[in-house]
Amino acid sequence: MYGKSVIVFFLFFGNFAGNVFSQTCPSCIIDTGCDSVPAQPKLCPSILPTDTAQQYYETDVTFYMPQTFDITVPISATVTLNQIDVIGISGLPAGLSWSAYDYNGANTTSFYPTANPPSSERGCAKICGTPLLPGYYTVTVSVLA
């Protein structure tokens, strides 16, 4: 009898965890003041606000992706961003999800800075959910540009 209870618990928890981890976060608000002079890609805020494990968390992150900007390392050049695709995010605490939105408010992972600058040079991501465990987390966003 004990074995059946454990199986039922795992089936229930598996369905619950799947629903928690696969949620779509609501739309975010773009911080139109998020930019850089001279133009360089930037995240606002660069460090996410802290919160408490086992309590609902929700925050907006704006990313500024200028249509063109200069680099000096490893070479001197001007970069033109035509398209950026977010291909993954790693390091989020268990229980949190994310959704990304373009300047029109469309839920997407593909961004086109040259579409309608300066509006199209910004997008945002909403991070939401209930973190299961306390700790310090380094979140890495992988993009294809």
Side-chain angles (χ1 to χ4, degrees):
M1 188 65 160
Y2 177 74
K4 290 181 183 179
S5 297
V6 171
I7 291 171
V8 170
F9 170 75
F10 283 129
L11 289 174
F12 170 75
F13 183 74
N15 288 334
F16 171 74
N19 290 335
V20 169
F21 298 135
S22 65
Q23 70 185 356
T24 298
C25 297
S27 184
C28 51
I29 298 172
I30 292 175
D31 174 1
T32 57
C34 182
D35 61 13
S36 177
V37 177
Q40 294 288 318
K42 183 177 182 179
L43 286 176
C44 300
S46 58
I47 297 174
L48 298 178
T50 59
D51 207 350
T52 305
Q54 302 295 320
Q55 292 184 8
Y56 185 77
Y57 178 82
E58 186 175 291
T59 193
D60 292 342
V61 179
T62 296
F63 42 90
Y64 172 60
M65 312 163 297
Q67 176 183 343
T68 61
F69 59 95
D70 294 326
I71 60 169
T72 56
V73 176
I75 61 170
S76 291
T78 298
V79 175
T80 299
L81 296 176
N82 295 315
Q83 179 176 346
I84 297 171
D85 295 309
V86 178
I87 56 175
I89 293 184
S90 61
L92 276 178
L96 294 183
S97 296
W98 65 278
S99 298
Y101 298 88
D102 69 8
Y103 71 102
N104 286 317
N107 186 336
T108 185
T109 56
S110 295
F111 301 89
Y112 305 92
T114 58
N116 186 25
S119 296
S120 57
E121 294 179 322
R122 289 180 186 79
C124 64
K126 173 78 80 176
I127 299 172
C128 67
T130 303
L132 301 179
L133 299 171
Y136 293 96
Y137 299 90
T138 301
V139 177
T140 303
V141 178
S142 299
V143 299
L144 179 63

